[in-house]
Amino acid sequence: MPHPRLPQRFPQRQRGAVLYVAMIMLILLALLGIVGMQVTSLQERMSSNYNRVNAAFQNAEAVAREREAAIATAMFGGKGTFAADEESCDEAFDVGAWSDPLSNPNSRDTHVRRIDRCAGGPGSLKRGGKENEQTDNIYQVSALSGDHDASATAIAVVDTIYIP
């Protein structure tokens, strides 16, 4: 005696629609997985690049602060004066050209330019006295650094104005 819940007859023709639907669902899930992997890979590269750029900026900032400390030490530590890399105001200093390794292969880590003489103003009230007693010693400190010392993949330039 057949069970009451089972159909009495099996269909004569089965078309396999469930197979097609399952295959389409598997293909969609595979595509979602591939897209998810690509997004993850892109985010990993972006965060790695951000880390390199941030390290280069921090290194350039440290180089600029070291050079500013050297200026302060020279001015107030006994020497009395600081000789900048550039003391004249003949032409404007182009940080972009200085930091570009293609146009300037001999660029250094830092460049200090004295800019108080470029302003053309009346200057300090103590003009004519000792140079370290003048209040108009203003320096443009440009620092160039990469994310690693040996092989930099990111380079940053920090340009500051320093008044000791």
Side-chain angles (χ1 to χ4, degrees):
M1 174 179 204
H3 194 274
R5 290 188 185 166
L6 293 176
Q8 298 295 337
R9 288 181 20 188
F10 293 106
Q12 297 287 336
R13 298 171 66 196
Q14 292 185 1
R15 299 189 184 213
V18 172
L19 179 63
Y20 291 126
V21 170
M23 290 298 289
I24 290 172
M25 294 300 277
L26 284 174
I27 289 171
L28 288 175
L29 287 173
L31 288 174
L32 282 173
I34 290 171
V35 168
M37 287 177 14
Q38 288 178 342
V39 167
T40 303
S41 174
L42 179 64
Q43 287 180 346
E44 183 178 348
R45 284 186 283 164
M46 286 171 30
S47 65
S48 175
N49 187 38
Y50 175 77
N51 188 22
R52 282 189 230 120
V53 168
N54 191 21
F57 174 76
Q58 295 296 330
N59 290 341
E61 184 81 18
V63 169
R65 297 298 169 237
E66 287 173 5
R67 190 63 178 220
E68 290 172 357
I71 294 171
T73 301
M75 294 289 291
F76 306 112
K79 242 178 155 182
T81 61
F82 177 79
D85 298 327
E86 187 177 341
E87 295 273 345
S88 66
C89 300
D90 295 337
E91 59 185 52
F93 175 63
D94 186 10
V95 177
W98 169 76
S99 63
D100 184 20
L102 297 176
S103 65
N104 187 13
N106 298 323
S107 64
R108 299 184 310 187
D109 288 345
T110 59
H111 180 82
V112 178
R113 179 176 183 226
R114 187 166 178 184
I115 60 174
D116 58 282
R117 296 177 182 165
C118 303
S124 170
L125 295 175
K126 295 184 179 182
R127 182 150 319 265
K130 292 182 180 177
E131 190 170 350
N132 66 341
E133 293 176 355
Q134 293 180 10
T135 58
D136 59 353
N137 290 322
I138 303 172
Y139 297 95
Q140 176 186 15
V141 179
S142 303
L144 169 73
S145 185
D147 59 337
H148 297 295
D149 291 333
S151 60
T153 55
I155 296 173
V157 175
V158 173
D159 196 29
T160 66
I161 302 298
Y162 178 65
I163 303 171

